[in-house]
Amino acid sequence: MHTAISLIAVIAGLIALLRARQISLRNTLGKVYVVTTVLTCVTGFGIFQHGGFGKPHVLGIITLIVLAVAYVAANTRWFGRASRYVEVVSYSATFMFHMIPAITETTTRLPLGAPLLADAEAPELKAATGVLVLLLIIGATLQVRRLRAQGQP
């Protein structure tokens, strides 16, 4: 169930980013993304039982916090003129957070019987995370430039 919910979140987020170049609660795709991302985090807490509290739990908590920040930015003026930017970049960051376990789980489980990587500590996964962060920085920069071009404060 957890995997199905997370796939819905990733697909909704990807379509939202491709169509509108942002994830936003102002449309149905954004709402589906946020709800399924919250459900992904909550259901994940129960299945990440590899010796207690660990990195997946931390990522889930960070994701929920960043979703809350995005929600506050979208619905209040707490961040002032930066609210719209905080909202858009925060939702994009949560999408990147989805990709970390997606890549980790895929490469350490598939193909069945002979996974690409031995475990979640493989150096290749650290490199992949670095690439994801770089893509987030590039994407967030483009999103901010787009908002400014649209006359956002």
Side-chain angles (χ1 to χ4, degrees):
M1 190 66 148
H2 169 80
T3 302
I5 294 168
S6 64
L7 286 173
I8 293 168
V10 168
I11 291 167
L14 184 61
I15 293 170
L17 287 169
L18 291 173
R19 281 188 186 168
R21 294 182 177 76
Q22 65 183 351
I23 298 168
S24 173
L25 284 177
R26 292 171 182 83
N27 60 53
T28 303
L29 275 173
K31 290 174 186 169
V32 168
Y33 172 80
V34 170
V35 168
T36 53
T37 297
V38 169
L39 289 172
T40 297
C41 290
V42 172
T43 59
F45 292 138
I47 62 172
F48 297 132
Q49 309 224 347
H50 305 292
F53 188 84
K55 292 178 187 177
H57 297 100
V58 172
L59 185 59
I61 292 167
I62 291 169
T63 300
L64 292 173
I65 290 168
V66 174
L67 283 173
V69 167
Y71 183 83
V72 167
N75 292 290
T76 70
R77 298 307 304 162
W78 198 73
F79 293 99
R81 293 174 50 132
S83 290
R84 186 77 173 110
Y85 301 108
V86 171
E87 173 196 4
V88 170
V89 172
S90 294
Y91 284 133
S92 293
T94 65
F95 186 80
M96 183 207 64
F97 298 158
H98 270 289
M99 295 297 100
I100 294 170
I103 291 171
T104 302
E105 294 300 314
T106 300
T107 58
T108 59
R109 294 177 187 242
L110 297 175
L112 294 175
L116 294 172
L117 300 174
D119 59 43
E121 298 303 318
E124 295 89 345
L125 288 173
K126 290 181 174 89
T129 300
V131 170
L132 290 173
V133 170
L134 180 61
L135 290 173
L136 173 64
I137 291 168
I138 292 167
T141 300
L142 292 172
Q143 287 175 320
V144 167
R145 291 178 70 194
R146 184 170 174 264
L147 289 173
R148 283 189 181 150
Q150 293 174 344
Q152 297 290 322

